[in-house]
Amino acid sequence: LLNYGYQGVMSVVEAMVDPKDVIVYDAESHACLIDGTRLHRAKGGKTYTFKHNDMESLEKNLIRATKLAEEQGGGIMVITEGVFGMSGAVGSLDKIAELKKKFKFRLLVDDAHGFGTMGKTGAGVPEHFGVQDAVDLHFCTFAKSMAAIGAFIAAKKEIIMYLKYNLRSQTYAKALPMPFVLGGMKRLELIKNNFA
């Protein structure tokens, strides 16, 4: 659970990579993701952008990133969106998930605009494409479909435990106020029970 979406996902990006790691992100990513990559570069990390929703461009950059990550002893994180907030374009998560068969990387998806609006149960774009298992970090905000503040990051238990102790924007800031937590739980129940 994150107190704010922008600050939360920016900090998730920063916490999940160190200077040996390489970030490859969609050129039309939201400002919060770009700011997260700037934090990575400030620590000496390397980033590459791929043309918006262009799998050929992503693959070329994954080749470059793989070479650099292997030289440095690091890993790769690919960042994209479920639904791009500025254009409404749906991210090519199905095609990106396919690239996991060829390249080794973690996938972070900002699904702020897909959560509560897409997928069989409203779980978002990864559910829409049936690739939830390929998404390593699934970020969603409460500011869109839930008309509130706050956000969440979903991942495997060990990643969440790591983030609980390394997410500076959450560790050194106030938690989401309890009325917003309870309101979010009610809104989540409404989405779950009424999504058609």
Side-chain angles (χ1 to χ4, degrees):
L1 190 62
L2 306 169
N3 51 13
Y4 289 101
Y6 193 112
Q7 152 188 36
V9 75
M10 185 175 74
S11 295
V12 166
V13 172
E14 188 272 334
M16 289 302 300
V17 289
D18 69 29
K20 295 181 299 206
D21 299 324
V22 183
I23 295 176
V24 183
Y25 65 99
D26 191 292
E28 292 190 17
S29 293
H30 190 273
C32 59
L33 299 170
I34 292 170
D35 286 348
T37 67
R38 287 177 175 168
L39 289 173
H40 178 57
R41 286 194 300 271
K43 294 191 302 185
K46 182 71 174 167
T47 63
Y48 297 115
T49 58
F50 64 95
K51 293 177 188 172
H52 178 52
N53 263 345
D54 184 324
M55 295 305 104
E56 185 178 327
S57 177
L58 174 55
E59 190 162 352
K60 284 178 183 176
N61 281 287
L62 280 170
I63 291 167
R64 294 168 67 197
T66 299
K67 183 179 181 211
L68 183 58
E70 286 173 355
E71 288 171 3
Q72 299 181 155
I76 301 168
M77 181 160 59
V78 171
I79 301 174
T80 191
E81 295 188 46
V83 175
F84 286 82
M86 299 300 110
S87 67
V90 176
S92 301
L93 299 188
D94 53 338
K95 294 173 184 168
I96 295 172
E98 276 295 308
L99 286 173
K100 281 191 146 197
K101 295 175 182 173
K102 191 172 180 181
F103 298 96
K104 186 177 178 183
F105 61 87
R106 278 193 172 147
L107 176 59
L108 185 157
V109 176
D110 176 345
D111 204 24
H113 295 86
F115 171 68
T117 65
M118 293 191 70
K120 185 179 177 185
T121 68
V125 177
E127 182 184 52
H128 170 76
F129 283 118
V131 295
Q132 286 171 298
D133 289 343
V135 176
D136 300 289
L137 297 126
H138 188 186
F139 165 81
C140 302
T141 180
F142 301 149
K144 310 302 186 252
S145 64
M146 292 175 69
I149 65 167
F152 69 87
I153 187 83
K156 289 182 178 176
K157 186 176 181 178
E158 58 269 20
I159 294 173
I160 296 301
M161 287 304 294
Y162 174 82
L163 288 173
K164 280 184 180 183
Y165 294 99
N166 292 281
L167 209 55
R168 294 177 62 82
S169 70
Q170 307 306 299
T171 304
Y172 299 103
K174 301 292 183 255
L176 193 60
M178 191 53 66
F180 287 100
V181 175
L182 295 173
M185 290 171 65
K186 186 62 179 176
R187 288 176 176 93
L188 187 57
E189 184 183 320
L190 289 169
I191 290 171
K192 184 178 175 184
N193 294 333
N194 298 295
F195 201 85

